[in-house]
Amino acid sequence: MGQAQSDERPAPPSHEELTRALADKFAQKCYNSLELYSFKDVFNSLADHEGQVRYLKQDTIARFLEVPDILDVSAVLFQMVSYVGAFPFLEDAPAVLGLEQMVMVVTLLTERYRRVLAKGSMDRRKLLFRSLAVYDRKLSGVHRKGGAGQDSQMSTGQEGEAVPDSGRPHGFAIDKPGDDEDSALDDDDELVLAAFDSLDYISASKHGSPQTVHGALIPADNWRKLIMLLLLIAPLDAQESLSSYSARLSGDELENLRETADCVLASFLNVEHAPGIKFSRFNTVIPAAMPFLFDGLAGLFEHFLFSKRLDFHRHAGDQPLPLGSPPELIQPLLEDTRSIMNLNVLSQLSLFIPGSSLFRRLRPLYSGDEDGFSMGSFETKVFNWRAPTILLVSGTRLPDNASHAHSGPASAFLATLPPQRFPPGNAGGDEGEKLTFGIYLSQPWKHTHRECFGDEDTLLFQLQPVHDVFRTSTLNKDYASFTKTSASTPIGGISLGCPPPQPTQAYRRSSMISLGPVSLVLESSFEFGCFKHNYTSQGGAFQTSVARKFDFEDRFEISSIEVWGCGGDEEAKHQAERWAWEAREAEARRKINLGTGDIEADRALLEMAGLIGANRSGGSMG
């Protein structure tokens, strides 16, 4: 009898019990009571049911989230959701999306899980890759036949959606092992382990790891569709309707969105040579070039926390608004557009600059098209802005033989560049291809004398035809320089990542621009520019690209140049006050009767006017 008692052990909890326990923990720790009430109300209003099972279908989720049909992304989004819904037992994916599974989805995609699973906060990228990846479909039939006699709770229905069924869950088909490139994907999933740790059930982790996924990849077409959606929803607020962005999904706007997505896609692969993105590439490019790529999912899936049958803006006793009341005015995401900046470029910038600094925060400071292509105009418009700025420059690629095909300014500019020239950054790029580069500076612009300006927050980037970001390094601090042409500095302009121009004697003028290993140069007349990426040197002030591990150089003729200020009303007010002060100073100087020939008398008059003397400089009197 004693032996029988010693063999009696409690049965381990089932997948369903552990999933329910984790969902309850997420619900208690990650949501307040009003959000939970709304969550349940939204789910119950949308759910289909089969027997005692209530679940959400693909078209139901797409309709509720207002995912645009024209993007053809609903199936891709549902694949991701039905995989994440199986958390933490990812080998059971795709999941039937009941209430507990949707708790997993919303908690993980909005990153609220950090309140519970702090240990696994960096591992969500692996989860997202798995949720979007596909494997060798030829093996799918083998796996399904092998499990046909086993018990299951679901199968894959029409359009890939999961519906309740009998038989063992087969999950997604997988490829045979044989590719070591993505071995990191087979390591223990820290997010899953953190989930079991939070339940004090570590022994269950060995049952919660997905099968090996060598050869897993995200198809290029699926990834392009999702990128278009992520660009569209980048500024989305939890209570903002996605349908309000419908103007961006027609005509030229839609084509521009697709072109922007292609530039982002080009960071991951050349679609002509690779069918999809592997995890190693996915895991390398995203943190370096687009760390905020998935941030828009938070605003999209938080829609589940706001029931349309509840008015969160009304207080007790408030009278309902009369019919025909004007809708609440919403500040536009971008006050105005220019030749380069538009809503899609703004969304692209938000992939690596926090959206809180961009959406509804940008102000146009300078545009070459409107203010003139000159450094003087640039200085007048930009130097008084005391908050971060974004410079954008766009142009067309010069041909390889430009120095011979052109005369005048083009050949003169090319003569100032080092003779060694690397191939273009885009292998398929032709003469006349559009190029767009930029710089984000957190410090104000200023004249460069012997030292450059900028700090570790400075970002050098390319937007077109390949999305790329070059972050600062510790090798040197030659981030940015603004130098006007003079007798001592015959070669002026804007340089990013280059040594500052050194004053020279007239008899030994420097006629060559000193390009940094990773650098962008705009010559002083803003007619031509050059971007250099010397990967072999491993970078200078800016790090080399993680997406393009080779040497390249792009020389281009500038068509547009713009500067945008990141800030609000306070920064704009400060700039306006500075402009007004400078206008008064200039007017005072103009009214003073100088030119008498008596330099000392003129200086005394300026000192009495308070325009020079002390720390002021009235310029050269000689």
Side-chain angles (χ1 to χ4, degrees):
M1 181 178 295
Q3 181 68 33
Q5 288 179 344
S6 65
D7 289 340
E8 291 179 359
R9 297 177 181 176
S14 65
H15 286 196
E16 292 76 13
E17 291 171 333
L18 286 170
T19 298
R20 188 178 304 112
L22 183 59
D24 288 342
K25 191 162 190 174
F26 279 157
Q28 295 170 12
K29 301 288 187 180
C30 304
Y31 305 94
N32 60 43
S33 56
L34 185 58
E35 289 173 333
L36 280 178
Y37 179 86
S38 297
F39 199 161
K40 294 176 182 178
D41 184 67
V42 169
F43 179 84
N44 290 330
S45 67
L46 297 176
D48 286 84
H49 61 87
E50 186 167 324
Q52 299 298 318
V53 180
R54 297 177 64 83
Y55 65 99
L56 300 185
K57 299 194 300 184
Q58 174 182 317
D59 59 346
T60 303
I61 293 176
R63 185 174 62 253
F64 172 73
L65 297 178
E66 301 179 309
V67 178
D69 292 337
I70 197 168
L71 297 183
D72 192 27
V73 72
S74 296
V76 179
L77 190 66
F78 188 80
Q79 175 186 327
M80 178 176 69
V81 169
S82 58
Y83 183 92
V84 175
F87 187 86
F89 297 100
L90 300 176
E91 78 278 14
D92 291 347
V96 177
L97 296 176
L99 179 60
E100 292 165 356
Q101 287 70 32
M102 287 305 300
V103 169
M104 302 294 182
V105 169
V106 176
T107 305
L108 290 166
L109 294 186
T110 62
E111 296 193 272
R112 290 180 176 231
Y113 70 90
R114 293 176 183 268
R115 303 174 189 178
V116 177
L117 308 180
K119 292 182 179 179
S121 62
M122 300 302 294
D123 212 48
R124 190 181 74 142
R125 201 179 306 124
K126 183 185 294 185
L127 175 68
L128 292 174
F129 177 86
R130 291 181 186 274
S131 73
L132 295 166
V134 299
Y135 317 111
D136 187 1
R137 294 299 181 183
K138 294 179 181 179
L139 298 178
S140 177
V142 176
H143 283 278
R144 292 183 184 277
K145 289 178 182 178
Q150 302 173 0
D151 292 335
S152 175
Q153 296 175 342
M154 54 172 287
S155 65
T156 303
Q158 188 176 9
E159 294 184 348
E161 66 184 37
V163 297
D165 196 6
S166 61
R168 180 73 180 157
H170 308 295
F172 296 104
I174 62 172
D175 203 351
K176 289 181 178 180
D179 188 351
D180 295 331
E181 182 182 351
D182 294 326
S183 59
L185 196 56
D186 295 326
D187 296 339
D188 289 337
D189 194 320
E190 295 297 329
L191 198 58
V192 172
L193 295 178
F196 287 121
D197 187 29
S198 72
L199 298 172
D200 296 324
Y201 196 76
I202 301 299
S203 60
S205 63
K206 63 183 180 180
H207 303 295
S209 299
Q211 302 174 39
T212 56
V213 287
H214 289 286
L217 56 81
I218 303 175
D221 192 49
N222 286 4
W223 189 224
R224 179 190 287 106
K225 293 174 183 177
L226 186 64
I227 289 172
M228 290 181 68
L229 177 66
L230 293 173
L231 289 170
L232 183 67
I233 66 175
L236 189 68
D237 184 77
Q239 297 191 63
E240 187 178 12
S241 171
L242 187 54
S243 61
S244 63
Y245 296 170
S246 58
R248 297 176 61 183
L249 297 171
S250 61
D252 292 340
E253 290 292 326
L254 177 61
E255 184 59 29
N256 186 261
L257 175 62
R258 185 174 289 109
E259 291 175 358
T260 304
D262 284 340
C263 294
V264 177
L265 180 65
S267 295
F268 295 92
L269 81 169
N270 184 330
V271 293
E272 296 181 357
H273 297 90
I277 301 98
K278 292 196 171 186
F279 179 69
S280 57
R281 188 76 169 177
F282 184 89
N283 197 41
T284 300
V285 171
I286 288 180
M290 50 194 83
F292 310 125
L293 175 64
F294 294 105
D295 281 14
L297 293 176
L300 183 65
F301 280 88
E302 280 186 351
H303 280 66
F304 281 98
L305 307 181
F306 296 91
S307 173
K308 295 181 179 179
R309 295 191 289 188
L310 300 176
D311 190 344
F312 294 93
H313 297 286
R314 288 182 59 192
H315 300 282
D318 287 353
Q319 295 295 323
L321 293 174
L323 294 177
S325 298
E328 182 180 356
L329 293 178
I330 300 177
Q331 184 181 356
L333 297 173
L334 187 63
E335 287 189 2
D336 198 4
T337 61
R338 292 292 189 273
S339 298
I340 305 175
M341 180 67 77
N342 55 45
L343 289 176
N344 294 320
V345 169
L346 184 63
S347 291
Q348 187 178 0
L349 291 172
S350 74
L351 301 185
F352 57 93
I353 301 173
S356 57
S357 301
L358 299 175
F359 299 117
R360 302 182 176 91
R361 299 280 294 173
L362 289 190
R363 294 175 179 272
L365 301 181
Y366 165 78
S367 169
D369 296 336
E370 299 178 5
D371 302 315
F373 291 83
S374 73
M375 295 189 70
S377 179
F378 184 104
E379 177 185 355
T380 300
K381 295 291 184 177
V382 176
F383 272 41
N384 292 329
W385 188 259
R386 298 303 173 189
T389 55
I390 297 173
L391 178 148
L392 301 174
V393 58
S394 182
T396 54
R397 188 192 307 281
L398 292 172
D400 293 339
N401 59 347
S403 58
H404 301 289
H406 296 274
S407 59
S411 59
F413 168 68
L414 296 174
T416 64
L417 299 178
Q420 180 188 17
R421 180 174 183 179
F422 297 136
N426 181 23
D430 299 323
E431 174 186 349
E433 180 182 37
K434 188 174 181 181
L435 306 169
T436 302
F437 298 94
I439 186 82
Y440 169 85
L441 280 167
S442 58
Q443 292 186 351
W445 286 78
K446 61 182 180 180
H447 289 282
T448 302
H449 299 291
R450 294 187 178 276
E451 293 184 356
C452 293
F453 58 94
D455 57 21
E456 63 275 4
D457 294 328
T458 304
L459 293 172
L460 181 62
F461 55 86
Q462 181 173 2
L463 300 181
Q464 196 176 20
V466 180
H467 176 100
D468 214 339
V469 177
F470 312 90
R471 299 181 182 275
T472 57
S473 74
T474 57
L475 295 180
N476 63 65
K477 296 184 178 181
D478 296 334
Y479 301 133
S481 67
F482 182 95
T483 309
K484 287 186 174 181
T485 303
S486 66
S488 60
T489 52
I491 300 181
I494 294 177
S495 299
L496 309 169
C498 300
Q502 298 298 323
T504 61
Q505 300 295 329
Y507 64 85
R508 57 181 185 89
R509 291 182 178 180
S510 174
S511 60
M512 194 72 66
I513 297 175
S514 180
L515 294 177
V518 179
S519 57
L520 174 66
V521 170
L522 310 179
E523 51 90 41
S524 58
S525 64
F526 292 164
E527 291 186 75
F528 302 97
C530 176
F531 181 86
K532 180 179 180 180
H533 179 260
N534 188 341
Y535 182 80
T536 306
S537 70
Q538 294 302 303
F542 295 98
Q543 300 176 31
T544 55
S545 170
V546 301
R548 292 177 286 178
K549 298 183 178 182
F550 55 88
D551 300 335
F552 64 87
E553 185 174 320
D554 290 321
R555 302 176 179 186
F556 56 97
E557 182 175 4
I558 296 174
S559 57
S560 300
I561 181 170
E562 304 169 3
V563 179
W564 294 75
C566 306
D569 296 335
E570 189 64 30
E571 289 81 3
K573 179 181 178 182
H574 179 84
Q575 186 194 42
E577 290 174 349
R578 182 74 182 179
W579 279 346
W581 180 85
E582 289 187 347
R584 291 194 300 270
E585 291 280 280
E587 181 65 14
R589 282 188 174 91
R590 189 183 64 81
K591 290 182 178 180
I592 293 176
N593 184 20
L594 299 179
T596 63
D598 188 341
I599 295 178
E600 293 302 323
D602 289 343
R603 182 179 296 278
L605 189 59
L606 288 172
E607 288 178 350
M608 286 189 293
L611 299 180
I612 66 171
N615 293 326
R616 295 178 181 267
S617 174
S620 174
M621 293 290 298

